[in-house]
Amino acid sequence: MSARNLAVAAAKKATNGKPGPKQDPGPKHNIEAMREAFYERIAKKDMAPLWKVMKSVVTKEPVTRCAPVVWHFDDVKSLVLEAGGLISAEEAERRVLILENPALHGESRATNTLFAGIQMIMPGEIAPAHRHVSSAIRFVLDGEGAYTAVEGEKAFMSPGDFVITANWAPHDHGNPSDTPMLWLDVLDVPMVNFYETSFAKHSDDPTQKTSRQDGDSLSFYGSGVLPDGTTAMNRTPIINYTYARTRPIVERMMKAGEIDKRHGARVRYANPATGGPVLPTMGANLAMLPKGFRGEPYRSTDSTIFVCAEGEGTTTVDGKVLDWGPQDVFVVPSWKRYSHNAAKESVLFSISDRPAQEALGVWREGR
Ligand SMILES: [Fe+2]
């Protein structure tokens, strides 16, 4: 069929085969029909015209699929405890309730690039050893005395601790205490799957043999000295950045008046061998906000997951008010303007894909 006939056929199709209202079949009419016919032909060859989609492919500003959202810990904890009666940690391998962004249901993610979930280990349980390409962090929410064994170090965890499980690091969890332990897991799974680079492996042994004492890596690398021969790695050698060590630092900063007008008295968790981020894909901060803090507006291209470690306040995101209290988790999407308000002295943990964006040269911030 010639292009002209195709154009006529396409025009007929547009009117369901019925003769349309009488129109002047001028040159414009013909060219539109010819274009549509052309698009149909090239679609069969797996091609498409850029000029039809240019504005949505190359947007003037970031367009996020994410929604601002808060998960309140009271709801989360009761549902996670309910899951504890339905399946064991060993049976589930990891007993985690995924925090799914309401705009991304079914996609197992809290932001476009980050997975978030609440994991629970009941007293006496273990979560067996495995490893995967996706890097993970844990931010401890509730309980005391469960451990994550990673790379030969058994790190016993307390609320506010920030634990790193780097790319391909073997890890298992256990809870020898007498109370359930809950923490926030954040992984770069959607990013790894975007690149189609996921590998995972289960260990034959459910628990790792540990050769180091709890806290060795923090003592070796996080004390202003480095073991001789330490070479720069693209991820931190520290396993557990304990709250007991980090909280007093942001408190001292606040008392010294070193308070950012947008973020409060804030530190960035750093790789001590390079000063860089803790992981190449994810970076984290801890901030103390004085009582009555009214933050100036801020936005950046990294969608960010926040956790309230202590205190009470609100974060206004693009006009939507998210109220938060202890252990609540909330999401600020990419390039949405937000500001924090603290009703009480508060501590906020945050994590995002900023290091990945910076490495690619695409990260930006603004007011
Ligand atoms: Fe894992």
Side-chain angles (χ1 to χ4, degrees):
M1 196 182 280
S2 72
R4 168 100 194 147
N5 287 345
L6 272 170
V8 171
K12 272 189 182 167
K13 195 176 168 191
T15 57
N16 292 329
K18 294 175 192 156
K22 283 211 168 181
Q23 286 176 344
D24 175 23
K28 187 166 187 304
H29 171 85
N30 286 341
I31 195 65
E32 286 303 327
M34 286 173 74
R35 282 175 184 167
E36 288 305 321
F38 176 70
Y39 303 152
E40 280 182 31
R41 273 171 54 220
I42 65 173
K44 288 175 187 156
K45 301 283 184 187
D46 304 314
M47 298 167 80
L50 173 60
W51 58 87
K52 284 197 73 174
V53 292
M54 185 84 166
K55 281 183 184 160
S56 60
V57 172
V58 186
T59 61
K60 281 189 175 173
E61 288 201 350
V63 175
T64 182
R65 300 196 302 137
C66 255
V69 56
V70 58
W71 290 271
H72 293 291
F73 190 63
D74 285 351
D75 294 341
V76 165
K77 185 175 179 180
S78 64
L79 292 168
V80 172
L81 286 171
E82 200 178 325
L86 295 173
I87 191 164
S88 73
E90 207 159 358
E91 202 182 346
E93 188 166 333
R94 294 294 184 268
R95 191 204 286 112
V96 176
L97 292 188
I98 303 169
L99 301 180
E100 281 200 317
N101 191 285
L104 307 170
H105 274 172
E107 296 191 29
S108 305
R109 63 185 80 187
T111 75
N112 205 36
T113 55
L114 298 180
F115 166 98
I118 305 292
Q119 181 159 179
M120 181 180 66
I121 304 270
M122 297 288 272
E125 284 189 329
I126 58 158
H130 70 194
R131 53 168 61 181
H132 35 72
V133 160
S134 288
S135 299
I137 67 91
R138 343 223 160 261
F139 187 77
V140 179
L141 300 175
D142 199 30
E144 187 82 47
Y147 65 82
T148 292
V150 49
E151 297 180 304
E153 182 167 319
K154 193 182 258 189
F156 283 89
M157 302 181 288
S158 298
D161 287 1
F162 173 52
V163 179
I164 306 286
T165 306
N167 178 337
W168 209 240
H171 53 284
D172 56 89
H173 311 289
N175 186 356
S177 83
D178 54 11
T179 52
M181 185 135 191
L182 282 80
W183 62 80
L184 172 75
D185 280 325
V186 178
L187 289 91
D188 54 15
V189 164
M191 219 183 309
V192 167
N193 286 343
F194 175 78
Y195 288 113
E196 300 178 334
T197 51
S198 174
F199 291 91
K201 196 169 187 289
H202 300 274
S203 174
D204 293 335
D205 254 332
T207 54
Q208 290 176 75
K209 288 177 182 54
T210 47
S211 52
R212 285 183 174 182
Q213 289 185 50
D214 184 14
D216 271 0
S217 67
L218 181 61
S219 171
F220 295 169
Y221 298 98
S223 307
V225 294
L226 292 172
D228 269 352
T230 299
T231 52
M233 301 157 70
N234 73 350
R235 35 80 36 126
T236 180
I238 295 173
I239 301 301
N240 186 3
Y241 291 80
T242 64
Y243 199 57
R245 289 272 297 257
T246 316
R247 188 197 187 280
I249 298 169
V250 289
E251 189 176 16
R252 287 175 81 117
M253 281 179 71
M254 191 183 77
K255 286 180 176 163
E258 294 188 25
I259 304 170
D260 184 280
K261 287 179 176 165
R262 305 155 304 171
H263 306 301
R266 191 171 83 156
V267 292
R268 176 173 61 83
Y269 292 94
N271 175 347
T274 63
V278 289
L279 292 163
T281 50
M282 296 186 283
N285 296 84
L286 194 76
M288 185 172 273
L289 312 179
K291 182 181 177 184
F293 181 76
R294 295 180 71 82
E296 290 187 358
Y298 177 77
R299 59 179 171 168
S300 60
T301 53
D302 48 323
S303 297
T304 304
I305 299 169
F306 287 90
V307 185
C308 170
E310 296 175 40
E312 192 181 302
T314 59
T315 297
T316 305
V317 188
D318 205 21
K320 181 176 178 181
V321 179
L322 306 177
D323 62 298
W324 41 259
Q327 288 76 53
D328 291 350
V329 179
F330 61 98
V331 166
V332 174
S334 167
W335 210 236
K336 296 296 183 196
R337 191 172 282 115
Y338 70 92
S339 54
H340 299 306
N341 291 296
K344 294 181 182 171
E345 181 178 284
S346 301
V347 180
L348 291 180
F349 170 83
S350 58
I351 182 159
S352 79
D353 63 359
R354 178 173 164 175
Q357 293 195 14
E358 286 181 319
L360 297 171
V362 298
W363 183 81
R364 282 205 203 184
E365 63 181 340
R367 277 181 56 83

